[in-house]
Amino acid sequence: MPREQRPAAIRAALEAALAPEALEIVDESHKHAGHAGARDGRGHFRVDIVSAAFAGVLPLARHRKVYAALGTLMETDIHALSIHARAPGEG
């Protein structure tokens, strides 16, 4: 998928699976130019997500929910993903 379409694809996948109250996606690929993991063309992203789906869920399980929601994007378009996942009302 073209690089400029990746944030929209990430947003669509997360919205469909986790119905977030707030979602910010930042493409940080430019910070990793020349990095060995970036050579295959996949991107580096930061996701800040607030969803009721995370209520009562430990951090590792929250990350797993995000990875599951992104599915094959993790294999085809995303090399690295920084996740800040929280439930409504958490800081």
Side-chain angles (χ1 to χ4, degrees), residues 30-53:
H30 64 282
K31 294 181 180 180
H32 302 276
H35 178 262
R39 288 190 190 130
D40 65 3
R42 295 182 298 153
H44 291 68
F45 298 90
R46 180 170 40 91
V47 171
D48 189 348
I49 182 170
V50 178
S51 173

Side-chain angles (χ1 to χ4, degrees), residues 24-39:
E24 179 183 14
I25 301 161
V26 179
D27 185 346
E28 296 183 335
S29 300
H30 64 282
K31 294 181 180 180
H32 302 276
H35 178 262
R39 288 190 190 130

Side-chain angles (χ1 to χ4, degrees), residues 19 48 52 67-68 77:
D48 189 348
Y67 292 133
D77 292 279

